[in-house]
Amino acid sequence: MSVLRSIEHRIESIVEGVFGRAFRTHVQPVELARKLAKEMDEAKSVSVSRVYVPNEYTLYLCPSDRDQFASYEDSLLTELADYLAEHARREGYALLSTPGVLIEEDEDLSVGEFGIATRMVQPERPQAPVPPEVVPQERPSETKIYRPAVTEAVSVESAAELDLARAPAALVLDGERHELADRALVLGRSRECDITVDDLNVSRRHAEVRHEDGAYWIVDLGSTNGVIVNGKRVERAELAPDDEIVLGTTELRFERGF
């Protein structure tokens, strides 16, 4: 248990207010932690099946209050972020990314006063660099509409004849390709999984991809938030090229025959 959480249980009351209490003594880390958790609770947004909360928190302190944290500010911010992540896990909240905590100075605040601003920020996905010879367009080109072709089921015998059983397969996660082997591969938040998914809404061992009779199947391993394939929650499903898979808030794509 962290220092912040152990001290938390000893606090009996906190005076409510936008900027917390106005003490003549400096702001204490445990007070910041409690108020951050309170802001998370109050800023929650209820969706169809999940309760989302902000993932970015900015603390506003007077210069002298911030000075007291100068020697360990980075460590403090990391611990506050971990505290928020644990609070979200306990309450069953969904986050778009790991919580982040920042500190800004506000000279209008007095010693002991502090402010908190929250935001729900969609994490940016890495973009491929633009080659030097490519000139970016100021306006988008004409929109083309592509409609999905009807995919017919292929028998094991036909797959063997077409050499589909040996066609390479991969899962694409955040632009990175993960080649699939003939053995079963486990996906989850744990570093011990074959494919690690860095998402607090993903279970430690969330799902498994299996290779059976020339086809690939995804199987839910009893996860908390389930496995969604092409918008439908499944316990077990055969994967087809370009299938969209969602684990927690993370999207993956199944590719085969490239």
Side-chain angles (χ1 to χ4, degrees), residues 142-147:
E142 181 182 353
T143 303
K144 296 181 180 179
I145 306 300
Y146 295 90
R147 292 181 173 83

Side-chain angles (χ1 to χ4, degrees), residues 86-101:
E86 177 63 19
H87 181 73
R89 188 194 66 78
R90 291 199 308 265
E91 298 297 327
Y93 296 149
L95 290 157
L96 296 180
S97 66
T98 303
V101 182

